[in-house]
Structures are given as structure tokens and as C-alpha cells.
């Protein structure tokens, strides 16, 4: 699943018979985000436990939940609901992640330098302040994921939040390569 805020869509790319992404036999379909009111789709997260797709809109700070009634995204029978992340102080949702263990969406906002942990229905569980990250400027937090801790002494089940700060905008300078990746321990 890939969000495209310029084309107002989410592309779904499935590898073809060769099982390799990026080859000619891939199946690519699109879901129009404009069709449900999202004109700045920034982050997208598939929830494997429900089969739903979540899309965060950066300009509206809205999170949309797309439930494919028949298991197919983008046809006329999807059920779309939403909730406002701005009510908690978010100003620019740039990325979504999912903490499956806790059933929470993670919405990262570079404007408030915060990760908002919210339920699938939009209730606030916790806010994680990112302003104390000592490296970089934190101005372009763009993605958040949950993955195992990098500490080899941790239990393999110990998870961390991994946050990307893309730093300088690569649209102005396509050869720019100054992004940073932070690991945050999750209590």
C-alpha cells in the first residue's frame, strides 16, 4: 500500500507470478482518496487483524478507515469512516503505523513533534513527545513503525517504535540523502 498525496490515491501493488515486486507482472490497483474527501493522503497502514486500511490526511488531520465489505478496496461498496486527529493537537499527520499488540494506530506529526497513539475508533490512548530527540532537527518526521528492538540483549519479543525524520525535502534536491531513523523504547 502506497499513499500518493499528489494523485489523491493509495496504490496497492501485489507481486505477480514471479513473486518479485517491481516487475512487469505485478498487479497494481488504486483506491481514490478524493472519493472520500482526502486530498492530502500522507500515511497509510493496513490492519491485518481487521482487513481495514487506514489513511491519514495531512492537511485535514483526519484519519480515514476504509473497510472493504467484499475484501476488495476501491469498489463502490467500501465503508469509510473517519475521526479528527486535530482534536488532540495534531496539525499535520505525515505517517501511520500500527501497534498490533496493543491494537493502536500510531500517527506521527512533525508540526507538534508527537506520536499520537489512538484506537481504531479514534480515542486517544497516549501522546509520545518527540521534541527531546537530540539528533537532527525533527522537522520532518514522516513515518513510524513497530519492530523488534535493536538491542541484542533484549527479549526477541521486545518492540520499539522506529521513527523516520526525512530532514531536507528531497523534492527540492532529489539527490539529498540526509534522512535519519530513530529507535524509541516503548514502555
Amino acid at each position: 500500500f502506497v499513499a500518493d498525496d499528489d494523485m489523491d490515491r493509495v496504490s496497492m501493488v501485489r507481486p505477480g507470478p514471479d513473486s518479485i515486486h517491481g516487475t512487469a507482472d505485478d498487479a497494481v490497483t488504486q483506491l481514490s482518496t478524493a472519493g472520500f474527501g482526502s486530498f492530502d493522503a500522507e500515511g497509510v497502514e493496513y490492519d491485518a487483524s481487521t482487513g481495514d486500511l487506514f489513511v491519514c490526511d495531512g492537511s485535514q488531520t483526519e484519519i480515514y478507515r476504509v473497510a472493504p465489505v467484499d475484501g476488495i478496496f476501491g469498489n463502490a461498496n467500501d465503508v469509510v469512516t473517519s475521526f479528527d486527529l486535530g482534536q488532540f493537537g495534531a496539525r499535520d499527520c505525515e505517517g501511520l503505523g500500527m501497534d498490533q499488540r496493543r491494537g493502536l494506530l500510531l500517527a506521527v506529526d512533525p508540526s507538534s513533534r508527537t506520536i499520537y497513539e489512538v484506537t481504531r475508533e479514534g480515542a486517544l490512548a497516549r501522546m509520545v513527545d518527540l521534541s527531546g530527540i537530540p539528533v537532527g532537527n525533527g522537522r520532518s518526521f514522516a513515518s513510524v513503525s513497530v519492530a523488534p528492538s535493536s538491542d541484542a540483549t533484549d527479549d526477541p519479543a521486545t518492540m520499539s517504535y522506529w521513527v523516520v525524520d526525512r530532514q531536507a525535502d528531497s523534492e527540492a534536491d532529489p539527490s539529498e540523502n540526509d534522512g535519519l531513523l530513530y529507535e524509541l523504547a516503548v514502555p
Side-chain angles (χ1 to χ4, degrees), residues 28-53:
V28 180
T29 56
Q30 277 90 31
L31 166 68
S32 169
T33 60
F36 53 81
S38 176
F39 298 97
D40 189 24
E42 294 288 349
V44 62
E45 184 68 23
Y46 178 74
D47 184 354
S49 67
T50 66
D52 295 345
L53 190 67

Side-chain angles (χ1 to χ4, degrees), residues 10-187:
V10 172
S11 295
M12 296 154 287
V13 182
R14 291 179 184 86
D18 67 4
S19 299
I20 300 171
H21 275 101
T23 58
D25 66 343
D26 289 356
V28 180
T29 56
Q30 277 90 31
L31 166 68
S32 169
T33 60
F36 53 81
S38 176
F39 298 97
D40 189 24
E42 294 288 349
V44 62
E45 184 68 23
Y46 178 74
D47 184 354
S49 67
T50 66
D52 295 345
L53 190 67
F54 290 88
V55 179
C56 74
D57 186 288
S59 61
Q60 300 178 59
T61 62
E62 196 78 7
I63 294 182
Y64 294 90
R65 181 178 188 165
V66 182
V69 174
D70 59 1
I72 300 169
F73 291 105
N75 58 14
N77 64 359
D78 292 344
V79 174
V80 180
T81 56
S82 68
F83 60 88
D84 179 24
L85 195 61
Q87 67 182 315
F88 308 121
R91 297 187 303 270
D92 181 15
C93 183
E94 284 292 318
L96 280 179
M98 186 83 191
D99 186 338
Q100 288 287 351
R101 301 165 303 150
R102 297 171 52 219
L104 296 175
L105 287 167
L106 311 173
V108 64
D109 174 17
S111 297
S112 64
R113 295 180 177 211
T114 302
I115 295 172
Y116 296 87
E117 295 179 343
V118 293
T119 65
R120 293 173 179 96
E121 294 74 30
L124 181 66
R126 176 172 65 168
M127 296 180 347
V128 179
D129 182 4
L130 300 175
S131 64
I133 292 178
V135 179
N137 55 23
R139 70 175 179 225
S140 297
F141 291 120
S143 183
V144 59
S145 294
V146 178
S149 164
S150 67
D151 185 338
T153 64
D154 280 346
D155 180 306
T158 301
M159 297 291 146
S160 294
Y161 286 178
W162 294 83
V163 181
V164 170
D165 181 354
R166 59 185 168 106
Q167 295 283 299
D169 192 336
S170 60
E171 282 186 37
D173 183 359
S175 63
E176 186 62 56
N177 188 17
D178 64 348
L180 299 170
L181 176 66
Y182 306 100
E183 178 182 6
L184 306 173
V186 182

